Amino acid sequence: MPVDPEEARRRTLEELSKGEYDDSPGFVAWLLQTLEDWLAGMLDGVDGSSPLQAGLAILIVIALVVATVLVLRRTGLLRRGHALAVDVELDAEPVLGAEELRAASRRAVDAGRTDDGTVLALRALVRDLEERTLLDVAAGMTAHEAARDAAVSFPDLQGRLDRAAAAFDTAAYSQRTASPKQAEDLLRLAEYIAEASPDLSRAAEAAGAGHGSVS
């Protein structure tokens, strides 16, 4: 059954206005108004009279919802269903050493706080690489960015690093809880990397390529 564009617009704005997204009223109000104006412009030429136009309206709505959720997650405004006792920023203050973070992660995992343990394990991994000058941690760096950069020095661990970043996102941002296996795997990865030797040749190649691309 074709979906009327005006109804699609109403449903989308209703979804985006739900309380779970409303952690910063000023920003969210501005974002919703901007999206409403954009959506209204996009749907002006879609009357829903044909299956093709109705399908286009639905795709626009889906894209809008996905984009909004990603923005809210990236800015930390998407409210979680469960609270974390630790900071999710990779460069959170006060700066703790990698060994301290691994120990804190182990205590959290053993206590059944898998989300806290997962977050602390990735922070430990990142801090370890930073201490060894194998990773430059920038403000606002995401888990996937850290995993990508860490894989330069540990290319054989690319898959495990990607899974670690996904587990971190689950623990830090989603409505789901990181599983005990995810927390344990990430902590073991952090412990393994702490004892492993990096592939410095790959790091040198990456650095050389970066310098070579500067005009």
Side-chain angles (χ1 to χ4, degrees), residues 152 201-215:
V152 173
S201 63
R202 285 286 300 272
E205 288 174 8
H211 291 309
S213 63
V214 178
S215 57

Side-chain angles (χ1 to χ4, degrees), residues 106-181:
R106 171 53 63 196
R107 289 194 296 271
V109 172
D110 289 347
R113 295 186 290 113
T114 55
D115 283 338
D116 291 341
T118 298
V119 168
L120 288 167
L122 188 70
R123 283 179 50 194
L125 188 157
V126 168
R127 182 59 181 152
D128 174 67
L129 296 181
E130 186 179 32
E131 289 173 347
R132 296 159 68 185
T133 68
L134 296 173
L135 181 68
D136 290 326
V137 180
M141 173 179 271
T142 68
H144 286 278
E145 289 169 343
R148 178 201 62 203
D149 292 350
V152 173
S153 298
F154 298 93
D156 293 343
L157 299 177
Q158 176 73 71
R160 293 181 66 183
L161 287 164
D162 288 341
R163 289 192 293 276
F168 178 93
D169 282 352
T170 295
Y173 304 117
S174 80
Q175 299 296 325
R176 296 180 292 113
T177 300
S179 69
K181 184 178 187 305

